Amino acid sequence: MATLPDTMPAPICHKGLTYPLGGVEPGYGDVFQIAPGIDWVRLTIPGPLRHVNCWLLADGEGDALVDTGMNTPEARDAWTAVFAGPKSGVRVTRLIGTHFHPDHIGLAGWICDRHAAPLVMTRGEWLTARMLAADARDAVPDEMLAFWRGAGWDDAQIAHAAAKGWAGFRRIITQLPLSYDRLQDGDRLEIGDRQWQIVTGSGHSVEHACLVDETDGILIAGDQVLPRISPNVSLGVTEPGADPLGEWFASIAKLKMLPHDLLVLPGHGDPFTGLHTRLDAMDREHRERLDELAIFLAEPRRATDCFSRLFRRAIGPDMLGMATGEALAHLRRLEVERRAVREIVDGVWWWRAD
């Protein structure tokens, strides 16, 4: 098991945040002790994020595990190495999923089965995962095709996405247990010698659970707070009238009620301090995007037309879905704020400033 080396790199400070480990991270198949009873595992995932963080919390005769990584051979091999090496003989007592995204619960069923561990999640995240896993079909539903076309996708983009079918979620998770233990906002979990309070947020997902140990000043944040990027906030086909960005702003305000000096253990990126600084930056970034987008809507625009105002890089086929969801979330927020109106012309959605 890796622990803090005798000579630690100097902390790194960037944009008002401090990274106290100075870039030190766990290697493949290893764990890194963040604090007594808290170990860090980093797993590789495909895509631009490149990795996901998982946390092992001392829990009596074993460890509680927070998040699992995606269902890939590389992640399964890494966990096998962890439990054959630094965690040899250690049983997972319970598996806590912060939210339903596959890079966080992709191996939940596999680990729960191997360790006879219960799955612990909020109801919103559990039901969403179960719904997506159950709704697997060969062909993409007509509602989804209409959604893509409404957002401004062309025929080639629709055909490329439709060729993947409608079972992508189920392919990248292992089968979830049939039952789970429910987490709710305000719950307190006793895990080993620590007391963790559950604080839920939404916008990035429906009922994301964060774990807070105020006694020792630690926040396991999942994807609700990331240090260098803003989590994706998307409007999707299942609830097209929702306001995920409005929920995101409300969640930021809620998290600002926590102490500023917590050590934040994020789902991606390195542990950091400066929680309120980061929350303010994420809030400001999205509000500035909204203001710029409102100006851009002086002429009618589709969601795909708005990419140049929302993102700093070109959007390729692999990122098209997430970019579209984020653009729609911002446009929907402008509707809620009565700064934009939507018109439908031949099945395509056009927004203009109001």
Side-chain angles (χ1 to χ4, degrees):
M1 179 187 302
T3 56
L4 295 178
D6 293 335
T7 305
M8 279 287 292
I12 297 171
C13 297
H14 181 69
K15 293 187 176 181
L17 306 184
T18 299
Y19 300 87
L21 301 182
V24 173
E25 63 183 60
Y28 173 86
D30 202 356
V31 301
F32 188 99
Q33 187 180 75
I34 292 289
I38 301 179
D39 294 323
W40 174 20
V41 174
R42 172 165 281 181
L43 302 174
T44 299
I45 58 173
L49 291 176
R50 298 182 357 194
H51 68 258
V52 63
N53 297 323
C54 308
W55 313 98
L56 288 158
L57 312 178
D59 190 22
E61 297 182 356
D63 284 348
L65 173 60
V66 181
D67 290 341
T68 70
M70 196 176 289
N71 178 27
T72 64
E74 294 80 8
R76 289 194 298 272
D77 288 347
W79 279 122
T80 299
V82 166
F83 287 109
K87 290 292 181 177
S88 177
V90 174
R91 185 179 79 84
V92 174
T93 58
R94 45 189 145 170
L95 200 161
I96 301 166
T98 58
H99 61 301
F100 77 89
H101 292 165
D103 52 332
H104 293 265
I105 64 157
L107 286 173
W110 182 73
I111 290 176
C112 287
D113 182 63
R114 286 168 65 102
H115 293 264
L119 177 61
V120 186
M121 298 179 69
T122 64
R123 178 180 286 170
E125 301 295 331
W126 160 255
L127 290 175
T128 302
R130 295 287 295 183
M131 177 270 291
L132 291 172
D135 186 22
R137 322 176 195 179
D138 292 332
V140 173
D142 289 341
E143 298 97 322
M144 191 74 247
L145 299 175
F147 188 85
W148 289 335
R149 189 169 299 282
W153 289 24
D154 61 31
D155 290 342
Q157 290 169 326
I158 292 173
H160 178 80
K164 299 177 183 178
W166 194 247
F169 184 85
R170 190 165 71 181
R171 283 195 297 267
I172 52 177
I173 68 166
T174 54
Q175 186 173 1
L176 293 169
L178 192 59
S179 61
Y180 79 110
D181 292 338
R182 183 184 178 189
L183 291 178
Q184 299 185 73
D185 188 60
D187 281 353
R188 292 193 174 272
L189 291 182
E190 183 176 341
I191 303 177
D193 295 330
R194 296 179 182 273
Q195 292 280 340
W196 298 89
Q197 180 184 356
I198 302 302
V199 178
T200 59
S202 57
H204 176 66
S205 62
V206 292
E207 195 184 358
H208 185 297
C210 301
L211 288 74
V212 184
D213 173 4
E214 287 202 32
T215 300
D216 287 335
I218 299 171
L219 166 66
I220 298 178
D223 282 0
Q224 203 65 34
V225 189
L226 300 178
R228 295 181 183 269
I229 62 169
S230 181
N232 180 265
V233 178
S234 282
L235 182 71
V237 68
T238 54
E239 195 178 348
D243 177 21
L245 190 51
E247 294 177 21
W248 179 250
F249 288 140
S251 296
I252 288 175
K254 181 179 179 181
L255 288 169
K256 282 199 70 176
M257 298 174 66
L258 297 174
H260 173 61
D261 59 352
L262 297 174
L263 174 64
V264 182
L265 308 183
H268 309 275
D270 291 347
F272 69 94
T273 59
L275 174 62
H276 290 195
T277 299
R278 184 60 189 138
L279 292 171
D280 287 341
M282 291 193 301
D283 184 275
R284 183 171 59 251
E285 176 185 357
H286 283 290
R287 293 188 190 279
E288 289 174 351
R289 286 180 182 180
L290 284 172
D291 291 341
E292 186 173 352
L293 196 57
I295 295 171
F296 187 58
L297 297 182
E299 298 180 11
R301 313 284 186 181
R302 303 165 302 173
T304 52
D305 299 327
C306 299
F307 290 172
S308 62
R309 293 299 184 274
L310 295 173
F311 310 113
R312 298 185 181 91
R313 60 178 179 175
I315 301 300
D318 292 341
M319 298 299 295
L320 181 60
M322 293 180 67
T324 299
E326 184 121 0
L328 290 170
H330 283 75
L331 291 164
R332 174 62 183 149
R333 184 62 200 165
L334 288 176
E335 285 186 277
V336 172
E337 294 179 357
R338 302 187 180 225
R339 292 201 279 168
V341 294
R342 183 182 69 157
E343 299 173 344
I344 304 174
V345 180
D346 296 329
V348 179
W349 309 325
W350 297 86
W351 281 265
R352 59 175 175 81
D354 188 13

